[in-house]
Amino acid sequence: MQIPIFSLDKIEIKKNNHNILKINNFEIHRGAAYFIQGNMAAGKTALLNLISKNALPTSGSILYEDQNLFEISKNKFSQDIAYVTQSFSVPWGTVKKFIYKTLKRYSHVTNIDKKISNISRQMEIKDFLDTKMSSLSPGQLRWVVLAANIAADSKVLIIDEMEQHLGAYHIKQLNKILYRKCNYDGVTLIASTQNKSFFQSHLASVIITLEKGKIHSVRSSSGKKKHYDKK
């Protein structure tokens, strides 16, 4: 049996003695698509920051491929992870230069020009590759950042608030592209959303509902639902 890519055990994140996140036990498996849904302040971003190694738990442990996540070097772990956050500092330079610099960080990406050509065609951004990042609209900027991180072909792709700045057309495109990444390329997708109805049901292998930092329920693509103890 394949070991989980992430295993969370007795995780707590506290701020001013208030629980931001509390998860007793949960596993994330390779090649599946996990959607984390919940209202504002449900703990979605806190969870994504934790598994991306951008935050530390107050207590508990996380294993990544059976190793203590926080004992793995940042350089080594960053080769496996691509993380699209909600906030983003707009860099200087063109769209093409940004994607090139993003892909150059990954040692497994050998033909960057080919990657840029492929993702530009898939995500229909060929017409503004030479456009400065600073002149893009919020929707275009989000789409370019998604394109760069999808093209990285990382083991794990993490996206905070999947629908941010995207309209119906681009959400439909994103569904198709991510479905292929998970089902044909074996990428593990972990994404948060406040509107899971925007995304096609066949994309999500597992839907996790968070309430006040705790897992309220987990529903698999088969429709089976498991309720968690919220104490």
Side-chain angles (χ1 to χ4, degrees), residues 8-229:
L8 286 71
D9 185 46
K10 296 180 176 62
I11 287 293
E12 284 191 359
I13 296 178
K14 289 187 176 183
K15 187 176 181 181
N16 299 325
N17 290 322
H18 175 69
N19 273 323
I20 306 298
L21 196 68
K22 185 175 182 180
I23 297 175
N24 288 328
N25 184 270
F26 193 73
E27 293 179 346
I28 295 173
H29 293 271
R30 184 185 300 278
Y34 289 78
F35 273 53
I36 303 164
Q37 68 165 346
N39 294 322
M40 291 183 293
K44 303 184 299 296
T45 300
L47 177 55
L48 298 186
N49 283 340
L50 195 62
I51 61 176
S52 62
K53 207 173 175 180
N54 285 299
L56 291 169
T58 305
S59 60
S61 64
I62 303 176
L63 299 182
Y64 174 71
E65 295 185 326
D66 236 13
Q67 298 179 66
N68 185 324
L69 175 62
F70 300 103
E71 291 178 358
I72 302 171
S73 73
K74 186 72 175 179
N75 286 341
K76 183 177 183 296
F77 185 67
S78 64
Q79 291 293 305
D80 289 358
I81 300 291
Y83 185 15
V84 180
T85 59
Q86 286 191 51
S87 58
F88 177 73
S89 298
V90 183
W92 293 101
T94 64
V95 168
K96 186 174 182 179
K97 185 176 180 181
F98 167 73
I99 298 175
Y100 188 92
K101 287 180 71 175
T102 301
L103 297 182
K104 199 173 180 181
R105 297 202 302 260
Y106 294 91
S107 58
H108 59 265
V109 178
T110 54
N111 192 333
I112 294 178
D113 289 332
K114 185 177 180 181
K115 286 282 187 186
I116 293 174
S117 177
N118 288 342
I119 200 67
S120 298
R121 175 181 46 78
Q122 274 186 299
M123 297 186 72
E124 299 176 3
I125 58 173
K126 292 173 71 175
D127 290 343
F128 53 92
L129 282 176
D130 294 324
T131 303
K132 290 183 178 179
M133 292 286 285
S134 58
S135 67
L136 297 179
S137 70
Q140 287 176 317
L141 187 63
R142 179 69 170 182
W143 195 242
V144 167
V145 175
L146 283 165
N149 284 275
I150 290 168
D153 282 333
S154 54
K155 283 186 182 179
V156 182
L157 174 60
I158 301 172
I159 306 174
D160 196 6
E161 198 165 318
M162 288 264 289
E163 66 274 20
Q164 188 182 48
H165 300 309
L166 301 182
Y169 175 76
H170 286 96
I171 287 174
K172 186 176 180 180
Q173 277 188 296
L174 188 59
N175 269 289
K176 292 177 181 178
I177 291 164
L178 292 177
Y179 182 83
R180 288 195 294 268
K181 296 303 291 184
C182 295
N183 288 275
Y184 296 101
D185 298 339
V187 171
T188 302
L189 172 66
I190 307 167
S192 72
T193 180
Q194 291 189 50
N195 301 282
K196 73 178 179 65
S197 60
F198 287 168
F199 301 96
Q200 294 169 13
S201 59
H202 71 270
L203 172 59
S205 309
V206 179
I207 298 171
I208 305 155
T209 301
L210 287 182
E211 289 185 2
K212 297 179 180 178
K214 298 179 182 180
I215 295 179
H216 172 68
S217 66
V218 177
R219 186 188 294 274
S220 68
S221 56
S222 65
K224 292 181 180 178
K225 188 173 183 179
K226 180 179 179 181
H227 286 276
Y228 276 68
D229 184 0

